[in-house]
């Protein structure tokens, strides 16, 4: 049973985003038969450095251990932040998702309720509200909240949304809480922008290449005209090509 328990814990650690580097340390700690123990992990994401403590405890009734939680200490351009992420069967956040949440971005997850039924929900940390244990409170935006990322993105002149091979990967990346680079068609030009999902306001947050926020009304006449002009130009090109072939 203990070997199965160790193997299960190693997989838990691996798929939560810590890889296999902690496997040997985990085995050594379990051999010591400690009631509780921690493992330490360090990594970087961009300009941010991360120090993590993984918490384990021994069962009170069986000869096995549990991976209970991990505490992330983030040091980045915006300062320091600490958040505890608890390990719940079927409702875990990976380390990268934890980093994205602590960076202010939202993550879309498939959770399980007490009956084991799955549901999809956007989650985002509230930097202004803390819980009694010192964690920042999590805001949940369920499906009935009405946020549809793909529909929201369709309101903007994002060229990749017209290409199936790029659209799905961009949406998946945004759902994981990543900031995504895309191409906007503005005033007849192609310009690089970076976007984030913003479920709270049922929108997307847009940055230019200098990471300054950009404010584009989703259905402004200017943006609409650009999108229409782009489509019109494509139709003219296709018609011209077909005429040549004839």
């Amino acid at each position: 049973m203990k070997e199965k328990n160790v193997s299960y814990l190693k997989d838990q650690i691996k798929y939560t985003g810590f890889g296999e580097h902690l496997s040997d340390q985990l085995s050594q700690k379990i051999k010591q038969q400690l009631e509780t123990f921690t493992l330490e992990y360090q990594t970087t994401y961009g300009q941010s450095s991360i120090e993590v403590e993984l918490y384990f405890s021994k069962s009170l009734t069986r000869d096995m251990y549990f991976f209970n939680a991990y505490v992330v200490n983030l040091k980045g351009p915006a300062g320091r932040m600490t958040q505890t992420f608890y390990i719940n069967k079927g409702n875990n956040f990976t380390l990268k998702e934890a980093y994205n949440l602590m960076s202010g971005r939202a993550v879309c997850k498939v959770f399980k309720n007490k009956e084991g039924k799955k549901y999809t929900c956007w989650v985002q940390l509230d930097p202004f509200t803390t819980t009694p244990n010192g964690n920042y409170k999590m805001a949940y935006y369920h499906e009935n909240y009405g946020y549809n990322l793909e529909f929201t993105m369709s309101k903007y002149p994002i060229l990749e949304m017209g290409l199936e091979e790029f659209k799905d990967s961009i949406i998946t990346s945004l759902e994981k809480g990543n900031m995504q680079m895309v191409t906007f068609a503005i005033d007849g030009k192609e310009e690089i922008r970076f976007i984030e999902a913003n479920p709270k306001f049922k929108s997307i947050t847009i940055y230019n290449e200098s990471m300054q926020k950009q404010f584009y009304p989703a259905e402004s006449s200017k943006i609409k005209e650009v999108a229409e002009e782009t489509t019109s130009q494509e139709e003219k090109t296709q018609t011209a090509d077909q005429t040549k072939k004839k």
Side-chain angles (χ1 to χ4, degrees):
M1 176 63 73
K2 187 178 291 186
E3 289 182 2
K4 289 184 178 180
N5 180 219
V6 174
S7 179
Y8 177 77
L9 290 173
K10 287 180 178 179
D11 283 343
Q12 258 195 318
I13 293 171
K14 177 181 178 180
Y15 295 115
T16 308
F18 299 99
E20 300 177 349
H21 307 293
L22 300 175
S23 295
D24 291 341
Q25 294 181 48
L26 175 70
S27 297
Q28 291 171 9
K29 292 284 189 179
I30 289 178
K31 285 180 181 179
Q32 296 175 35
Q33 290 292 297
L34 301 169
E35 293 299 318
T36 63
F37 65 86
T38 63
L39 299 178
E40 296 183 355
Y41 180 86
Q42 295 181 345
T43 189
T44 59
Y45 288 116
Q47 298 179 341
S48 299
S49 61
I50 291 178
E51 295 180 353
V52 187
E53 281 188 299
L54 292 75
Y55 285 78
F56 299 82
S57 65
K58 189 177 182 182
S59 171
L60 298 175
T61 57
R62 291 180 289 174
D63 186 21
M64 62 186 301
Y65 283 85
F66 299 102
F67 178 20
N68 304 116
Y70 63 94
V71 179
V72 180
N73 294 286
L74 172 68
K75 180 182 178 183
R80 294 177 178 270
M81 182 179 182
T82 299
Q83 184 80 2
T84 300
F85 293 89
Y86 295 95
I87 303 299
N88 299 305
K89 190 174 181 180
N91 294 334
N92 300 338
F93 289 100
T94 66
L95 179 60
K96 182 62 186 301
E97 289 170 341
Y99 163 73
N100 285 336
L101 287 169
M102 293 175 73
S103 298
R105 294 185 288 275
V107 172
C108 185
K109 294 284 290 183
V110 176
F111 294 108
K112 287 183 180 179
N113 61 19
K114 294 180 180 179
E115 290 73 38
K117 186 177 180 181
K118 294 181 179 180
Y119 65 96
T120 302
C121 182
W122 284 91
V123 184
Q124 193 165 20
L125 292 185
D126 180 352
F128 305 106
T129 308
T130 56
T131 61
N133 68 355
N135 257 5
Y136 290 98
K137 188 176 180 180
M138 288 190 180
Y140 295 88
Y141 304 97
H142 295 262
E143 291 174 291
N144 57 8
Y145 184 74
Y147 180 57
N148 185 311
L149 178 59
E150 183 175 351
F151 175 74
T152 299
M153 292 176 67
S154 71
K155 298 178 181 180
Y156 297 88
I158 301 173
L159 298 184
E160 288 83 357
M161 291 302 289
L163 303 169
E164 289 297 326
E165 62 268 33
F166 294 115
K167 183 181 74 173
D168 291 343
S169 62
I170 288 173
I171 290 175
T172 298
S173 178
L174 291 170
E175 288 178 339
K176 290 181 179 179
N178 297 321
M179 178 182 287
Q180 182 65 46
M181 183 178 74
V182 294
T183 311
F184 270 55
I186 301 174
D187 295 331
K189 298 179 181 179
E190 295 183 5
E191 298 189 13
I192 298 297
R193 292 290 182 269
F194 294 88
I195 62 174
E196 301 171 347
N198 192 336
K200 181 178 181 179
F201 296 106
K202 299 180 182 178
S203 64
I204 56 174
T205 304
I206 305 167
Y207 303 88
N208 63 15
E209 291 184 270
S210 300
M211 300 313 296
Q212 297 172 319
K213 279 189 179 182
Q214 304 289 289
F215 298 95
Y216 294 108
E219 295 182 358
S220 81
S221 58
K222 183 178 180 181
I223 293 294
K224 187 176 180 182
E225 286 170 8
V226 169
E228 289 175 348
E229 285 175 9
T230 303
T231 303
S232 177
Q233 186 59 44
E234 289 176 352
E235 291 175 349
K236 288 178 181 178
T237 302
Q238 290 177 7
T239 302
D241 288 343
Q242 291 173 1
T243 302
K244 287 179 182 179
K245 289 179 181 179
K246 291 181 180 178

